[in-house]
Amino acid sequence: MSTGVIIVLIVIVVGVVAAPAALALRARGATGGSGLKRRFGPEYDRTVARHDGDTKAAERELGERVQAHGSLREQPLEPADRERFQARWAAAQELFVDSPREALTDVDQLLGEVAGARGFPDVAEYEKQFDALSVHHAAHVHGYRRVHRVVTTRTNGTPESQAGTEEMREAMLEARALFDDLVSDGSRGGNGQGRGGRHSIGAFNKQALKGS
């Protein structure tokens, strides 16, 4: 066997051995401490707080979220579905003036349905759906948590069930950012009803303040 052939074989063997190691290092970087902080942003800090400052436990949970849902590919919305969802948000936004809790109930259901339509776990599995959303929409997913918390604790006497109008308005504003992400398909504004449209956050602020 010639020297050249031997060298080629050695290179091939080294490549085969090194590839899994490189992939492992890459995966570790994506789910390691600094990688998780970059990926999850404020959600990283909230998870650490929920674990009473136990960084390792928080990173283990977030790493599990990435492993479980990181490969999820969001499905595009049909134009008719996008318009239907936007119309439902507009109706909830207008309802907020007279009945903020009912409006938040509608928004909670709407966010779950939009997420399901985009390929996330079904709305019936809120925790799993939330975890998946946090992997792909970490910057805005907290709004969904706030709305869901108010809706699901409204009758059990907890502090969240006593949330005032201002707290509910803030929750709905934060949820709107996630809604925009989910219906945008990467393009802000949609059919003129995105952030700058008729039912934008600015318009909602004016409506809510008028009704308060």
Side-chain angles (χ1 to χ4, degrees):
M1 187 178 295
S2 67
T3 302
V5 172
I6 293 174
I7 292 174
V8 170
L9 290 174
I10 292 174
V11 171
I12 292 174
V13 171
V14 170
V16 170
V17 172
L23 290 173
L25 288 173
R26 182 177 179 182
R28 184 178 178 183
T31 58
S34 59
L36 290 171
K37 283 185 178 181
R38 287 193 300 271
R39 180 159 198 162
F40 285 93
E43 181 64 13
Y44 176 94
D45 296 327
R46 296 185 190 103
T47 306
V48 171
R50 282 197 302 103
H51 284 277
D52 298 322
D54 188 338
T55 302
K56 289 185 178 179
E59 290 181 353
R60 183 164 55 250
E61 177 186 329
L62 294 174
E64 289 172 354
R65 292 192 205 178
V66 173
Q67 290 179 0
H69 307 291
S71 62
L72 184 149
R73 293 293 177 264
E74 296 182 61
Q75 303 300 312
L77 290 176
E78 294 292 335
D81 289 334
R82 182 179 295 107
E83 291 180 6
R84 177 168 54 85
F85 288 138
Q86 288 174 329
R88 285 177 59 187
W89 179 277
Q93 183 169 294
E94 292 174 0
L95 176 63
F96 186 92
V97 175
D98 297 318
S99 185
R101 288 190 182 277
E102 186 178 350
L104 257 65
T105 299
D106 291 349
V107 165
D108 182 54
Q109 182 67 26
L110 175 58
L111 286 173
E113 291 183 23
V114 176
R118 292 299 309 273
F120 289 93
D122 188 78
V123 63
E125 299 181 283
Y126 168 76
E127 294 296 340
K128 183 183 293 185
Q129 187 184 70
F130 180 89
D131 286 352
L133 284 168
S134 73
V135 171
H136 297 273
H137 296 275
H140 299 135
V141 73
H142 188 55
Y144 189 16
R145 177 191 282 124
R146 292 184 68 183
V147 167
H148 189 76
R149 188 177 295 160
V150 170
V151 169
T152 57
T153 58
R154 60 186 300 178
T155 60
N156 64 5
T158 64
E160 289 89 349
S161 68
Q162 305 302 319
T165 302
E166 177 60 20
E167 293 175 76
M168 290 188 283
R169 185 183 70 85
E170 291 175 358
M172 192 157 176
L173 283 172
E174 201 169 354
R176 174 60 194 256
L178 175 62
F179 176 77
D180 281 350
D181 271 0
L182 290 172
V183 300
S184 69
D185 273 353
S187 59
R188 299 293 182 190
N191 297 315
Q193 294 191 17
R195 293 186 185 276
R198 175 184 174 190
H199 301 290
S200 65
I201 289 176
F204 170 66
N205 268 322
K206 291 179 181 179
Q207 285 181 314
L209 290 173
K210 185 185 298 183
S212 60

